[in-house]
Amino acid sequence: MTPLLLLHGFTGDRTAWRGLADRLGADVTAFAPDLPGHGSAPLAVDFDTTISQLEPLLSGRPVVVGYSQGARLALALA
């Protein structure tokens, strides 16, 4: 199974990835969290705090995909 971490943009939430997640094959396990301050997630203090909150999600060595703010976070995680 290939783990996939999907990071939404600044004005979005985890539901932004619903269309893509439905099209992924059975060999991909997708996880699309609400970023801090969006959707159901509490507000983060700053960018670095958001990175530290996302770092535990890298333990399975997922492929990280993001757009807009999610892309900035993906680059910082790399």
Side-chain angles (χ1 to χ4, degrees):
M1 287 268 182
T2 301
L4 184 62
L5 176 59
L6 303 170
L7 303 176
H8 64 77
F10 179 71
T11 62
D13 63 19
R14 67 179 178 252
T15 63
W17 295 104
R18 204 175 296 169
L20 174 66
D22 293 342
R23 292 180 173 89
L24 296 173
D27 61 332
V28 176
T29 301
F31 180 64
D34 281 331
L35 293 174
H38 298 83
S40 62
L43 184 62
V45 175
D46 57 26
F47 190 83
D48 292 331
T49 301
T50 300
I51 293 298
S52 67
Q53 291 173 352
L54 290 171
E55 283 176 335
L57 300 178
L58 300 178
S59 64
R61 300 191 56 90
V63 172
V64 182
V65 178
Y67 71 90
S68 184
Q69 177 183 331
R72 288 184 62 223
L73 292 166
L75 286 170
L77 289 167

